[in-house]
């Protein structure tokens, strides 16, 4: 790939990012217009009444969803818990809610942010989700942090138990995945990502060939 082609690819990526940013801004403006036109601001007294109403409706919720392990009951209890905490930093979300929110944000970050900013329901912040989705730092080759996690999980499952040596017989599978289909670079480090052979691409950019 020539230098001009690489520059063209980067230009295409910038145009795509600009287009997505414009779409997000348009969605946010539409949401703000709808919220300003149809939204209702609750006073402190009304907010307390809403919390009391949720507490009174808990029995009806249990009747409507008798399974205590269903997602509807879990979502209701997490919402009720979130409106009673003094600070958002003190809210400890259930792992299932975190997984669901990660799924929603993966589908559309703009839609997730609009839903969270609406105030209609309470959802984890983007920073909270970032901490869960970036538990370890990704890179090329073997990842020591990932291997340490695997070792810890193996210890929890008793795979080092000398009385049951058969537990040590395991297999580790490696598979190739495509992270990015086109030329993408890390804007913080300048490193190209999305290619198996980064050295070759880096040399092409340096040599201008």
């Amino acid at each position: 790939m020539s230098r001009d082609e690489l520059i063209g690819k980067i230009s295409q990526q910038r145009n795509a990012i600009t287009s997505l940013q414009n779409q997000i801004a348009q969605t946010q403006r539409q949401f703000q217009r709808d919220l300003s036109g149809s939204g209702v601001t609750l006073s402190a007294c009304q907010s307390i009444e809403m919390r009391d109403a949720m507490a009174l409706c808990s029995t009806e919720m249990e009747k409507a969803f008798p399974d205590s392990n269903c997602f509807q009951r879990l979502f209701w209890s997490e919402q009720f818990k979130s409106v009673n905490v003094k600070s958002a930093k003190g809210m400890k979300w259930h792992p299932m809610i975190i997984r669901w929110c990660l799924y929603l944000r993966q589908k559309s970050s703009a839609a997730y942010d609009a839903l969270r900013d609406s105030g209609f329901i309470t959802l984890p912040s983007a920073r909270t989700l970032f901490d869960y989705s970036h538990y370890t730092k990704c890179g090329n080759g073997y990842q020591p942090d990932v291997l340490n996690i695997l070792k810890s999980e193996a210890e929890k499952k008793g795979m080092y138990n000398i009385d049951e040596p058969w537990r040590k017989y395991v297999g580790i599978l490696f598979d190739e995945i495509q992270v990015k289909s086109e030329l993408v670079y890390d804007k913080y480090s300048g490193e190209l990502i999305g290619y198996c052979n980064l050295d070759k691409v880096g040399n092409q950019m340096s040599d201008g060939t």
Side-chain angles (χ1 to χ4, degrees), residues 119-182:
F120 182 71
I121 59 175
T122 306
L123 297 174
S125 65
R127 178 62 193 179
T128 299
L129 298 182
F130 180 88
D131 292 338
Y132 279 94
S133 60
H134 294 73
Y135 183 72
T136 59
K137 185 177 181 180
C138 298
N140 300 322
Y142 292 99
Q143 306 299 312
D145 292 340
V146 176
L147 294 178
N148 289 332
I149 293 174
L150 291 175
K151 180 181 178 181
S152 176
E153 291 296 324
E155 292 175 347
K156 292 178 182 178
K157 296 181 181 298
M159 299 178 69
Y160 295 103
N161 190 349
I162 59 176
D163 296 330
E164 297 178 325
W166 55 270
R167 289 180 176 270
K168 295 188 294 183
Y169 300 121
V170 299
I172 299 179
L173 303 179
F174 293 89
D175 191 14
E176 179 183 355
I177 61 173
Q178 178 175 290
V179 180
K180 299 289 183 182
S181 59
E182 296 181 356

Side-chain angles (χ1 to χ4, degrees), residues 59 67 89 115 129 138 154 156 186-187 193:
T59 303
D67 185 5
K89 295 181 179 180
L115 184 62
L129 298 182
C138 298
K156 292 178 182 178
D186 188 342
K187 65 180 180 180
I193 58 177

Side-chain angles (χ1 to χ4, degrees), residues 107-118:
K107 291 296 183 182
S108 175
S109 59
Y112 180 85
D113 292 338
L115 184 62
R116 183 176 183 274
D117 295 339
S118 67

Side-chain angles (χ1 to χ4, degrees), residues 76-85 91-94:
W76 175 270
S77 63
E78 290 293 288
Q79 290 299 302
F80 183 69
K81 183 170 66 174
S82 66
V83 299
N84 286 283
V85 295
M91 179 62 187
K92 303 299 182 183
W93 294 96
H94 192 279

